[in-house]
Amino acid sequence: PISKMIYTSTASKTVVNTTSTSTLINFGDGTRTFQKGGWTDYMTFKYKAWGVLSTAAAAPTFQFDVLMGTITLGTGAQNVGFSLAVDAQWEVEGVITVRKANGATGNLMAQGKWEVTDPTNNTPAYRVPMSNTTSTPGFDNSNNAYTFDLRASMDTADPNNSITCTNFYLEYGN
């Protein structure tokens, strides 16, 4: 299989002190927007992101969402279980397969996960699935362009609750 890097972030992005869902992808090299008609059946995309998060005295729940345009392909939320953390490492990764690219029956299948490391002992604290176990209807690349996005939110707004994406890439292969 041929793999090609199509987007790499070149700047960090931080979401802090908010319960609103916000993008974690900042400036980069390449494109995350796919023009209409540009995909074929059975294309596969892989994405991976790394970063750090910090928490207030009350451990918050963080949520990651993966989207293609307005279609949510995966979501996963977890209370991190530790408070007053500074720069706890996290990573998100997944795969998206275009089962049918065009027409009224176009659909995608996605699987992914996110993990966070407990900063007190540098061991994995949680692995949270981000799955869409059924095909996603409504995907029609013949008439629409789609932009890949990775978003994050937290359940409590606090100036000490933050999540930063330091590295991100998106690649595809056939």
Side-chain angles (χ1 to χ4, degrees):
I2 297 171
S3 180
K4 179 180 178 182
M5 191 76 60
I6 55 177
Y7 186 87
T8 301
S9 65
T10 58
S12 297
K13 175 73 181 236
T14 300
V15 176
V16 63
N17 193 22
T18 182
T19 58
S20 298
T21 301
S22 303
T23 186
L24 281 174
I25 304 173
N26 209 340
F27 303 107
D29 183 36
T31 184
R32 300 181 291 125
T33 300
F34 304 95
Q35 300 306 316
K36 66 181 182 176
W39 291 4
T40 60
D41 296 351
Y42 316 120
M43 289 180 81
T44 298
F45 296 86
K46 293 193 305 185
Y47 60 90
K48 193 153 186 177
W50 298 265
V52 293
L53 59 83
S54 297
T55 62
T61 295
F62 287 96
Q63 178 170 318
F64 289 93
D65 301 301
V66 174
L67 293 94
M68 194 63 78
T70 59
I71 300 171
T72 300
L73 300 178
T75 188
Q78 176 68 48
N79 183 289
V80 293
F82 44 81
S83 57
L84 301 174
V86 176
D87 293 342
Q89 295 180 5
W90 61 264
E91 67 180 69
V92 172
E93 67 180 329
V95 62
I96 304 162
T97 300
V98 179
R99 291 206 167 160
K100 182 157 178 53
N102 299 311
T105 60
N107 63 65
L108 306 171
M109 177 64 80
Q111 296 284 328
K113 67 180 179 191
W114 71 272
E115 299 179 8
V116 64
T117 299
D118 185 333
T120 61
N121 57 19
N122 287 326
T123 60
Y126 295 100
R127 176 179 283 174
V128 182
M130 298 172 48
S131 301
N132 181 354
T133 56
T134 59
S135 60
T136 303
F139 175 75
D140 183 3
N141 186 238
S142 61
N143 293 310
N144 300 296
Y146 291 90
T147 299
F148 178 92
D149 202 4
L150 174 64
R151 297 181 185 174
S153 62
M154 53 204 84
D155 68 340
T156 306
D158 185 290
N160 294 309
N161 289 340
S162 67
I163 187 161
T164 300
C165 182
T166 57
N167 303 82
F168 170 80
Y169 73 82
L170 179 64
E171 65 182 345
Y172 83 92
N174 276 9

